Amino acid sequence: GESVGLHLPTLSVQEGDNSIINCAYSNSASDYFIWYKQESGKGPQFIIDIRSNMDKRQGQRVTVLLNKTVKHLSLQIAATQPGDSAVYFCAETSNFGNEKLTFGTGTRLTIIP
Amino acid sequence: GAVVSQHPSRVICKSGTSVKIECRSLDFQATTMFWYRQFPKQSLMLMATSNEGSKATYEQGVEKDKFLINHASLTLSTLTVTSAHPEDSSFYICSATRWGDRHYGYTFGSGTRLTVV
């Protein structure tokens, strides 16, 4: 969704538990979605992506779910580890590669040892 | 995998001076590069979209005369912050992509921390 400059929401999860990070987007024309992980002082790092013709995609320990009806995206991280602590952003675009990415507000995930 | 290099990683400059930030795609030719700005605890805000050989497209509210973008080749884009002021202090991040080629995705540089004193 459109970032409106709000401070980041936070999520704390016990190490080993699963975490779910949610994102709402507003542009019904968006057809490509990406989740990024950003550690302090670094650029965003690609985690997983999904196109609008899919509703679920799985990677290593991560799953992205897309609900186009309600314009909602989620990132599930299984068996969280301390290294998963970071800020997570969803991003959306249409006409892949030729159009800008619009970033969501972001969520700070903290893994509790 | 696709790699984007951004330089410098951090810079401190005096108010009124200009600073140039470079963004290079190291192992692919980027048809499009994007420049973002990120304030502490906030999301990435797109400043401009840059296509090789053409003028950059700036987002609403971004001063094109203050933030000069040059995309001289398919592997290099530069952002120059002219007459920098303390309010320009921020984290600047570039991204490169190749149109229609999902193999390269949208790859981000490591960012540049600009501090204007």
Side-chain angles (χ1 to χ4, degrees):
Chain A
E2 280 292 330
S3 169
V4 293
L6 299 174
H7 283 208
L8 298 170
T10 59
L11 174 66
S12 295
V13 174
Q14 202 75 35
E15 182 179 353
D17 287 353
N18 300 334
S19 67
I20 299 176
I21 300 170
N22 296 301
C23 177
Y25 65 95
S26 56
N27 186 358
S28 56
S30 292
D31 61 4
Y32 181 64
F33 305 86
I34 310 171
W35 278 101
Y36 287 96
K37 173 185 181 182
Q38 186 181 30
E39 296 174 305
S40 181
K42 297 183 179 179
Q45 175 187 356
F46 174 91
I47 300 174
I48 192 168
D49 61 356
I50 189 168
R51 297 206 78 116
S52 59
N53 60 354
M54 302 174 70
D55 53 22
K56 180 179 180 179
R57 190 154 188 249
Q58 288 184 289
Q60 187 177 12
R61 284 202 304 121
V62 294
T63 301
V64 55
L65 299 178
L66 173 63
N67 186 329
K68 296 182 289 295
T69 303
V70 295
K71 298 197 200 66
H72 184 267
L73 197 65
S74 69
L75 175 70
Q76 300 177 6
I77 305 175
T80 54
Q81 303 167 356
D84 294 331
S85 293
V87 178
Y88 291 81
F89 293 98
C90 66
E92 60 181 294
T93 188
S94 58
N95 193 12
F96 176 90
N98 202 35
E99 291 294 330
K100 61 187 180 184
L101 275 180
T102 300
F103 279 78
T105 307
T107 298
R108 178 174 297 282
L109 175 65
T110 300
I111 306 304
I112 305 167
Chain B
V3 178
V4 172
S5 172
Q6 192 171 337
H7 180 80
S9 58
R10 57 179 65 235
V11 57
I12 301 173
C13 71
K14 291 184 178 181
S15 187
T17 61
S18 296
V19 173
K20 181 185 284 188
I21 302 169
E22 291 188 350
C23 180
R24 293 180 184 272
S25 57
L26 297 185
D27 53 357
F28 70 103
Q29 293 185 322
T31 51
T32 306
M33 289 187 174
F34 305 89
W35 287 95
Y36 292 83
R37 180 174 182 175
Q38 185 178 33
F39 290 109
K41 298 184 179 181
Q42 293 190 18
S43 187
L44 283 75
M45 298 297 293
L46 181 68
M47 300 174 66
T49 300
S50 168
N51 292 298
E52 184 264 342
S54 61
K55 291 184 178 180
T57 302
Y58 290 82
E59 294 298 299
Q60 190 173 6
V62 177
E63 300 175 57
K64 61 181 179 182
D65 293 331
K66 179 168 186 63
F67 298 100
L68 300 179
I69 291 172
N70 185 298
H71 194 158
S73 75
L74 285 172
T75 59
L76 174 65
S77 177
T78 60
L79 168 69
T80 302
V81 183
T82 63
S83 187
H85 292 283
E87 57 265 32
D88 297 325
S89 297
S90 189
F91 193 52
Y92 292 87
I93 310 170
C94 72
S95 170
T97 190
R98 194 158 84 181
W99 184 82
D101 192 334
R102 290 190 62 229
H103 174 70
Y104 296 104
Y106 291 85
T107 305
F108 284 81
S110 54
T112 297
R113 173 75 59 195
L114 171 63
T115 304
V116 184
V117 297

